Every structure is written in structure tokens, then in C-alpha cells.
Amino acid sequence: HHSPFKPKLVLVDRDGVINEDVGSPGVICKSQFELTPNAGEAIGKLKRTFNWPVVLITNQSCVGKGLLTLSELEKIHIHMRSLLLQEDSWATIDRIYVCTSVEEWDIRKK
């Protein structure tokens, strides 16, 4: 018996899911970025088994606070993609959506 439900995509959080949560103010340089155990393997398995798009969503108020630039955040995400692929050649992230707001009421935050 197969369920008719077929997701169009998988949303994953970053801090504490893909990488170890380092606490406030968050990862502000790539040397602080460390994958959680089996993160690459899990994403690779989703892609290999179901071929669902995997989309990363993340609040990064550290950018809004001026602790790092969007360019520096992009370098961290390039590093993240590289680490994921080292763990599993299928572990690709299709899109990354970032909210940099520092406002608690901001509807863009997840």
C-alpha cells in the first residue's frame, strides 16, 4: 500500500541540523562549521532514494547584527556544500534561503 502523498521538496534547518549548533551569535567563520553526525549521508539518502529537492532554510541574524557579511556567509555555505559532498556524493543542497533580520516579529523568520 503506497501513500499518495509525495513531497515536492524537503526543508531542512541549518544550525543544529546540518551543522553543530555553536550557540549565540552562531557560526561566523568557516572554521566553526562542523557537520552533525551523518548529515551528508542523510541528505544523500533522500536525494538518492526519492530525488526530492533539498532546500536549506536558516535564520542568520549575525548578518543583520553586522557580525559577518552576506559574502562571508556565502563562503561558509560553499564550505558546507563541500563537506556534505565529501560525506556523500549525492548530498546536494538545491537552494538556500536565509533570513538575516534581527527583528523577532519579522515574518521572514522561520
Side-chain angles (χ1 to χ4, degrees):
H1 171 67
H2 288 281
S3 167
F5 174 74
K6 184 182 183 317
K8 301 283 189 242
L9 61 93
V10 176
L11 298 174
V12 290
D13 191 11
R14 196 194 81 177
D15 299 327
V17 177
I18 299 290
N19 62 287
E20 298 290 350
D21 194 337
V22 298
S24 188
V27 175
I28 54 174
C29 61
K30 72 179 191 179
S31 65
Q32 292 176 296
F33 192 96
E34 191 176 317
L35 291 180
T36 55
N38 306 312
E41 187 182 323
I43 292 170
K45 188 171 187 176
L46 277 171
K47 300 290 277 189
R48 201 168 28 257
T49 308
F50 304 106
N51 199 29
W52 294 334
V54 175
V55 176
L56 182 77
I57 52 173
T58 181
N59 291 326
Q60 294 298 319
S61 62
C62 49
V63 175
K65 293 173 184 169
L67 299 174
L68 81 161
T69 65
L70 278 173
S71 173
E72 290 166 327
L73 180 62
E74 178 62 23
K75 287 179 180 144
I76 290 168
H77 287 159
I78 289 167
H79 179 62
M80 172 194 70
R81 288 177 189 267
S82 171
L83 291 175
L84 289 168
L85 287 171
Q86 284 173 37
E87 195 169 292
D88 188 311
S89 63
W90 283 74
T92 56
I93 302 288
D94 294 279
R95 290 266 170 89
I96 298 175
Y97 292 103
V98 177
C99 179
T100 60
S101 177
V102 295
E103 305 296 338
E104 283 305 314
W105 52 262
D106 196 311
I107 59 169
R108 295 172 300 164
K109 291 179 95 169
K110 56 176 177 45

